[in-house]
Amino acid sequence: MSDGDSGGLERRSAEDIEATVQSIKKMLLVGGVFAVIGYLLAGSALFFELTEFHPILEDFFATHTEHSLAGGGPERASDALNSDLAELHSWPSTLLWLKLGGVAHILLGIFVALAAIVRALALMPHRLSYEMERTQG
């Protein structure tokens, strides 16, 4: 191989490299935003579960000792029982959505960040060639 032969790899222009670096920075920012949103969703699910859902659950078991969460037992037509059960049964789907949405956002943020890392690693030979040229010249 001669000095000018790069083994089939064309050297990218300095402007192209700088544009790619800016694009990588944006990708890392987007990945970070997704991860932060994911942590907020998962954290709010835990917060709501501990501060809202568990107290309602404990109150239900203290108030309606003869009934199950499915609504079985004597006096099933009670308005208080039905409203307490409706309130209880609305929480699990909300909590599940918050937890799964949080995990999905975190994983998407990680994926975007890893894609940015792969792009940065693919850019390293080009940046290295400019740095070697600058130090030798």
Side-chain angles (χ1 to χ4, degrees), residues 3 12 14 20 30 33 41 55 66 75 95 97 106-108 115 120 122-123 125 137:
D3 289 337
R12 296 169 75 174
T20 304
V30 168
V33 167
L41 287 171
E66 300 92 29
E75 302 171 11
L95 294 174
W97 182 89
I106 291 169
L107 290 176
L108 184 61
L123 192 62

Side-chain angles (χ1 to χ4, degrees), residues 49-69 80-81 83-85 87-88 91:
E49 186 169 351
L50 295 175
T51 62
E52 300 285 330
F53 181 63
H54 285 290
I56 293 171
L57 196 60
E58 290 170 5
D59 184 49
F60 177 84
F61 285 127
T63 306
H64 305 287
T65 56
E66 300 92 29
H67 301 14
S68 72
L69 284 177
L81 173 65
S83 74
D84 288 348
L85 283 172
E87 186 177 10
L88 264 174
W91 275 103

Side-chain angles (χ1 to χ4, degrees), residues 2-129:
S2 66
D3 289 337
D5 188 14
S6 61
L9 182 67
E10 300 237 357
R11 191 162 100 166
R12 296 169 75 174
S13 68
E15 295 81 22
D16 188 34
I17 290 173
E18 191 58 38
T20 304
V21 168
Q22 294 303 318
S23 172
I24 290 169
K25 288 179 182 179
K26 288 178 187 174
M27 287 177 71
L28 289 173
L29 180 66
V30 168
V33 167
F34 270 102
V36 166
I37 290 171
Y39 283 116
L40 288 174
L41 287 171
S44 66
L46 290 173
F47 175 77
F48 287 133
E49 186 169 351
L50 295 175
T51 62
E52 300 285 330
F53 181 63
H54 285 290
I56 293 171
L57 196 60
E58 290 170 5
D59 184 49
F60 177 84
F61 285 127
T63 306
H64 305 287
T65 56
E66 300 92 29
H67 301 14
S68 72
L69 284 177
E75 302 171 11
R76 288 186 279 187
S78 165
D79 286 338
L81 173 65
N82 286 336
S83 74
D84 288 348
L85 283 172
E87 186 177 10
L88 264 174
H89 288 208
S90 69
W91 275 103
S93 62
T94 303
L95 294 174
L96 181 65
W97 182 89
L98 287 171
K99 289 175 186 175
L100 291 178
V103 169
H105 277 79
I106 291 169
L107 290 176
L108 184 61
I110 290 170
F111 175 77
V112 171
L114 286 176
I117 291 169
V118 167
R119 286 186 71 194
L121 289 174
L123 192 62
M124 285 302 123
H126 301 285
R127 291 190 73 179
L128 182 60
S129 73

